[in-house]
Amino acid sequence: MMSRFRLPSSSSVTTLLAVAALSAPSLVLASTTVTLTPVADSYVSPGVPDSNFGNHGTLIVNREFSEAYLRFDLSSLPVNAVITAASLSALAYDGYAYGGDGNVYTSFVADDSWQEMGITWNNRPTPATSTEGAWFLWYDYTVMDKLGVNSHAALIPIVQGELAGDKQVSFRLHSPGYKTRYRSREYSNAAQRPALTLTYELVPVTTVLEPEADANVHRSYWGESDWNYGSSQELIIYGDAEQKIFLRFNLASIPAGSTIQSVKLSATSFWGRSPYGDGNVYTYLVPDNSWGEYSITYNNQPAATGSPLGWWWLWYPTIMPNFDQVGVTEDPNFIPVLQAASDATDRRISFRLSSPNYLTSYYSRESPDASKHPKLEVTYLP
């Protein structure tokens, strides 16, 4: 009968902890509301099809005689913002109700390349055929400030999509029946300019990193202790003292100051032997990130410190031990060390993987199949 030693699964316990952590009130950020004014606005008129009104203090919406265009810059919003509410507003000061449909409709404009000082009736961008909400204001040529507000839910996915795209969003204002004059972004009183008011919440971002360097080291009495295996497509673990794996990850793609919420380390094996004893693969922190992928050997390997950060267990039979398995650890012990590394100057982190008894071969970052490379999955709040 085969003898083996196995600790409780760290990944199953950590999954429950991660779910609980993400639902904890302390990690739920309050909603934020911002108000943006246009970076460009103008109206166009078919009566003067080549004229531009980009420097006017007024935007005119008048049946078939004129329509207004507005563009907002979304780049000030965090990349992980989830829009929960959106309102487009403009302050009118006079107009006339000719009759018929007096709504002022909002249409999405996908083309953000139009220029405030260059847009005319003849070169205006084509709006969407559908409308995304409207407002209604009634005038009889009496001058009076009235605020038009469109808070239709259809605005939310439009803004969300543009935030994920070029971070610019454009709209057209038009009315089938009424005439209305609005203050433009050039108006002297900033509080009376058009606005896009957005409410958003921040959600965690997950990034999957591959090693910038990986290698195994091998102790041998026949000279392999000074050999380097950094260019190999294989990473081998065999006993704590025989063969070990070193991995180094660059954390520069995680925004500085981010809060690390969870970490998952994984590697794909393709062959192994499970003789006896403790077969867990343990991960240790290596504080020294200066080791070279093509120069590290058993004799010059950097030291690992502390207790294991996490572990996984894979078993291979003696007969036909050739098939892929994925080792995964999501132990919470990774979180503080990743946080410290992310906040450090070089923004790198190194690990050593080793097993007291089992022999396992893993795909390295040099393997032609990228899906089988070692991975470090980090979830964070920027």
Side-chain angles (χ1 to χ4, degrees):
M1 181 175 66
M2 182 186 64
S3 172
R4 68 182 186 222
F5 174 84
R6 184 180 182 186
L7 293 174
S9 169
S10 66
S11 60
S12 61
V13 174
T14 305
T15 299
L16 296 176
L17 293 174
V19 171
L22 288 175
S23 61
S26 61
L27 292 179
V28 177
L29 298 187
S31 295
T32 301
T33 298
V34 296
T35 298
L36 308 175
T37 53
V39 293
D41 62 8
S42 183
Y43 73 92
V44 296
S45 173
V48 279
D50 292 314
S51 295
N52 170 263
F53 303 96
N55 62 354
H56 284 215
T58 296
L59 299 172
I60 303 176
V61 176
N62 185 13
R63 301 176 292 170
E64 73 272 16
F65 299 113
S66 59
E67 54 192 36
Y69 285 80
L70 307 96
R71 185 171 70 246
F72 297 88
D73 183 1
L74 306 174
S75 60
S76 62
L77 274 65
V79 294
N80 61 323
V82 173
I83 309 300
T84 58
S87 293
L88 179 66
S89 61
L91 184 70
Y93 62 91
D94 80 351
Y96 188 75
Y98 288 102
D101 185 353
N103 287 299
V104 173
Y105 291 96
T106 300
S107 296
F108 170 57
V109 178
D111 183 359
D112 297 313
S113 65
W114 60 275
Q115 298 299 308
E116 182 177 48
M117 302 305 296
I119 187 173
T120 67
W121 181 267
N122 281 341
N123 68 14
R124 70 194 191 283
T126 302
T129 56
S130 61
T131 58
E132 284 71 45
W135 62 69
F136 178 86
L137 302 175
W138 186 89
Y139 278 97
D140 60 357
Y141 284 137
T142 301
V143 176
M144 180 184 298
D145 287 351
K146 297 182 180 182
L147 187 65
V149 180
N150 174 12
S151 300
H152 199 283
L155 295 174
I156 296 174
I158 289 174
V159 176
Q160 191 74 63
E162 294 301 282
L163 178 61
D166 66 358
K167 296 180 173 30
Q168 304 283 315
V169 63
S170 296
F171 299 107
R172 178 188 69 158
L173 301 179
H174 57 104
S175 177
Y178 286 14
K179 175 182 179 180
T180 331
R181 289 191 177 95
Y182 299 88
R183 305 299 187 189
S184 77
R185 82 181 191 101
E186 283 74 22
Y187 190 64
S188 58
N189 186 346
Q192 297 188 9
R193 295 169 185 168
L196 180 64
T197 301
L198 303 173
T199 300
Y200 63 86
E201 296 175 354
L202 298 181
V203 297
V205 176
T206 297
T207 185
V208 179
L209 307 174
E210 292 191 4
E212 67 172 12
D214 63 7
N216 70 270
V217 297
H218 184 194
R219 184 185 71 170
S220 171
Y221 300 105
W222 293 277
E224 287 93 336
S225 298
D226 285 320
W227 290 5
N228 169 261
Y229 301 88
S231 61
S232 174
Q233 296 182 16
E234 180 181 19
L235 300 169
I236 304 173
I237 288 174
Y238 182 41
D240 281 337
E242 297 297 326
Q243 298 194 68
K244 313 168 188 177
I245 293 174
F246 285 83
L247 306 171
R248 188 173 68 239
F249 296 89
N250 190 328
L251 308 179
S253 62
I254 300 173
S258 297
T259 300
I260 308 299
Q261 290 195 329
S262 66
V263 181
K264 179 167 69 175
L265 178 67
S266 62
T268 303
S269 66
F270 59 89
W271 184 89
R273 296 290 298 274
S274 306
Y276 57 86
D278 184 354
N280 289 295
V281 172
Y282 295 97
T283 301
Y284 296 86
L285 176 67
V286 176
D288 183 0
N289 295 315
S290 65
W291 57 275
E293 182 175 33
Y294 303 115
S295 59
I296 187 173
T297 68
Y298 190 93
N299 286 339
N300 68 16
Q301 64 180 294
T305 61
S307 301
L309 299 175
W311 67 87
W312 64 68
W313 185 85
L314 303 176
W315 182 83
Y316 279 96
T318 303
I319 302 173
M320 300 295 290
N322 298 85
F323 55 90
D324 287 355
Q325 298 187 77
V326 180
V328 178
T329 176
E330 302 176 71
D331 199 292
N333 289 323
F334 280 95
I335 297 175
V337 298
L338 256 292
Q339 187 69 65
S342 180
D343 295 338
T345 302
D346 72 346
R347 311 207 69 206
R348 285 172 166 79
I349 191 165
S350 295
F351 301 113
R352 189 196 80 189
L353 278 62
S354 57
S355 176
N357 293 101
Y358 284 16
L359 167 64
T360 325
S361 292
Y362 294 84
Y363 297 96
S364 77
R365 78 184 191 103
E366 283 76 20
S367 170
D369 187 346
S371 69
K372 298 180 181 181
H373 295 175
K375 302 286 193 301
L376 186 68
E377 184 175 307
V378 184
T379 299
Y380 60 91
L381 275 173

